[in-house]
Amino acid sequence: MSKNYHIVLLPGDGIGPEVVREARKTLEALSPLFDLQFTFEERLIGGIAIDETGQPLPEETLQACRQADAVLLGAVGGPKWSDPTAAVRPEQGLLGIRKGLGLYANLRPVKIYPQLISASSLKPDVLAGVDLLVVRELTGGIYFGPREEGSEEAYDTMLYTRPEVERVVRVAAKAAQERRGKLTSVDKANVLASSRLWRQTTQHLVETEFPDVTLEHVLVDAMTMYLIRRPADFDVIVSGNMFGDIITDEAAMLAGSMGMLPSASLGEGRVGLYEPIHGSAPDIAGQGVANPLATILSTAMMLRYSFGEKDAADVIERAVERSLDAGYRTPDLAGVASPDQTIEIVGTEAMGEIVRNFLY
Ligand code: NAD
């Protein structure tokens, strides 16, 4: 009997609808190959939701997401809604949905495609073999701790509880188990009390629940150096909210292009949120040139983490690699090719179609 998955699509603003459309068509093309049934429901978020309802995250959107098996988001925001004095802003929709679904773990894989290695500012020999996953704690730490803001004095508080650390480290250790079995926990335990709790909790949890995972602890300042000096040494990296914020952006730059990087946010409930890491790219919206690969790769993460459909996820990822191997590039990747390769520049829809043709 075929399995049914109900997916809420939140295309959002700018290039969001263009890339989400290609991702949806990819899942539809995959469906008969794996006997999976997908049903889709589109809802409003971001600037378009403000225009139509006055709210960046209408209650109906949140309700629909809570009842879904997974959520796929495009991007939100744009110049039309960027007035800093406005009462409501598109980005509030993003924070609201993460909070509303209790998504405490943000997963960002960074894989260097050999075909695109020249897009990075780092040397090819440093990047060869890079395939890592950063797991960032998303709903705690200094961004959410008690704070005061005065004109002469202000403070923020980095506060973590043992259960908050345990749940995100569990996600990371589980991912490590399914990958190469190595987990690097990043903290500042030589200075911060919250980091010492983070380190002790992580050590205890991994020793007791994941004895087959090799754990190392690295200070965040050292980590920022290691990430650009020897990135291929890492498998899964886990860290608190602020350190993770910095490390995920640094790691993303290893890949050289925003248009290639997917992400997942997971939490207590069964619903995961999947989205490309890039924004709504207003400068190219409506031109049919946006790179849909990050969003297509986000559906592979959905299949892997929300549905447990590892083989189907692998097929999407391989189809993306085959498309690059065959020399197809969206304009953001133009000029990225090895000297012996001929490349062909294609638009959003054509790139989606090419990936679908390589699904087998
Ligand atoms: P951006 O990621 O939208 O764009 C940065 C640059 O990368 C632009 O030149 C853009 O054309 C290019 N780019 C991004 N994605 C691309 C793709 N798939 N294919 C080809 N080129 C791509 O970042 P920005 O310009 O700083 O922000 C634009 C808007 O997006 C802002 O309103 C911002 O708040 C919002 N934003 C939203 C999210 C999100 O929804 N998760 C994330 C970041 C920024």
Side-chain angles (χ1 to χ4, degrees):
M1 211 177 70
S2 67
K3 286 182 245 171
N4 288 287
Y5 297 112
H6 184 61
I7 300 168
V8 168
L9 302 174
L10 306 176
D13 308 314
I15 61 168
E18 302 168 44
V19 292
V20 166
R21 192 176 309 122
E22 296 312 312
R24 173 188 179 148
K25 286 199 270 179
T26 306
L27 286 172
E28 284 168 344
L30 190 79
S31 163
L33 304 180
F34 285 89
D35 203 15
L36 303 171
Q37 297 294 324
F38 300 109
T39 51
F40 299 96
E41 177 182 354
E42 267 195 32
R43 293 283 169 173
L44 297 170
I45 194 168
I48 186 166
I50 294 175
D51 286 354
E52 294 197 16
T53 71
Q55 293 302 323
L57 180 66
E59 186 54 32
E60 308 84 77
T61 296
L62 190 54
Q63 284 309 333
C65 292
R66 286 197 173 119
Q67 281 155 21
D69 293 313
V71 180
L72 181 69
L73 178 99
V76 300
K80 183 176 174 193
W81 308 279
S82 62
D83 175 4
T85 61
V88 284
R89 291 171 52 81
E91 292 73 17
Q92 292 165 343
L94 271 185
L95 296 180
I97 195 153
R98 287 174 185 155
K99 193 153 177 274
L101 296 177
L103 305 172
Y104 58 77
N106 181 240
L107 282 67
R108 278 199 199 178
V110 176
K111 187 176 147 96
I112 308 296
Y113 293 89
Q115 306 89 337
L116 303 180
I117 213 159
S118 60
S120 175
S121 49
L122 295 191
K123 291 184 192 139
D125 58 317
V126 173
L127 292 168
V130 168
D131 181 3
L132 57 86
L133 173 70
V134 186
V135 179
R136 166 189 171 194
E137 201 287 326
L138 205 56
T139 54
I142 196 162
Y143 294 171
F144 292 89
R147 68 181 51 155
E148 281 285 344
E149 192 166 353
S151 58
E152 296 299 314
E153 198 176 90
Y155 66 83
D156 302 279
T157 315
M158 191 182 290
L159 186 147
Y160 269 116
T161 64
R162 184 173 285 275
E164 278 177 326
V165 180
E166 283 172 346
R167 63 187 189 179
V168 69
V169 172
R170 210 170 263 125
V171 170
K174 207 162 153 249
Q177 246 176 355
E178 287 160 15
R179 292 169 49 100
R180 302 192 300 279
K182 195 176 158 198
L183 180 63
T184 303
S185 172
V186 176
D187 61 38
K188 188 70 182 167
N190 54 343
V191 179
L192 300 174
S194 56
S195 276
R196 286 190 282 277
L197 178 81
W198 178 282
R199 191 175 281 216
Q200 286 159 8
T201 307
T202 302
Q203 184 71 34
H204 184 254
L205 184 120
V206 174
E207 268 172 17
T208 50
E209 293 184 25
F210 302 89
D212 52 337
V213 169
T214 307
L215 173 69
E216 65 170 348
H217 302 280
V218 176
L219 295 173
V220 63
D221 39 350
M223 191 66 205
T224 57
M225 292 193 290
Y226 298 157
L227 260 182
I228 51 171
R229 221 169 76 186
R230 50 181 186 85
D233 286 355
F234 299 99
D235 180 11
V236 179
I237 300 167
V238 64
S239 82
N241 203 343
M242 181 170 68
F243 299 151
D245 192 3
I246 297 161
I247 288 169
T248 44
D249 273 15
E250 189 188 9
M253 278 304 96
L254 298 173
S257 168
M258 304 263 276
M260 296 300 300
L261 297 172
S263 78
S265 299
L266 308 176
E268 293 298 356
R270 54 189 197 103
V271 189
L273 174 78
Y274 299 84
E275 58 183 315
I277 72 154
H278 60 72
S280 60
D283 52 335
I284 56 165
Q287 297 175 20
V289 294
N291 184 348
L293 296 179
T295 317
I296 290 173
L297 289 167
S298 299
T299 65
M301 291 191 84
M302 178 189 287
L303 288 161
R304 179 167 287 121
Y305 293 107
S306 278
F307 305 158
E309 301 284 352
K310 185 179 174 308
D311 292 345
D314 287 347
V315 161
I316 292 188
E317 286 163 359
R318 267 204 307 274
V320 168
E321 289 195 36
R322 287 187 176 121
S323 309
L324 297 173
D325 271 342
Y328 296 105
R329 305 280 188 273
T330 40
D332 56 307
L333 304 174
V336 181
S338 49
D340 54 346
Q341 200 177 21
T342 318
I343 63 166
E344 184 177 338
I345 306 297
V346 295
T348 311
E349 205 179 333
M351 189 54 132
E353 190 61 39
I354 289 157
V355 172
R356 288 191 285 283
N357 287 336
F358 280 119
L359 292 173
Y360 53 81

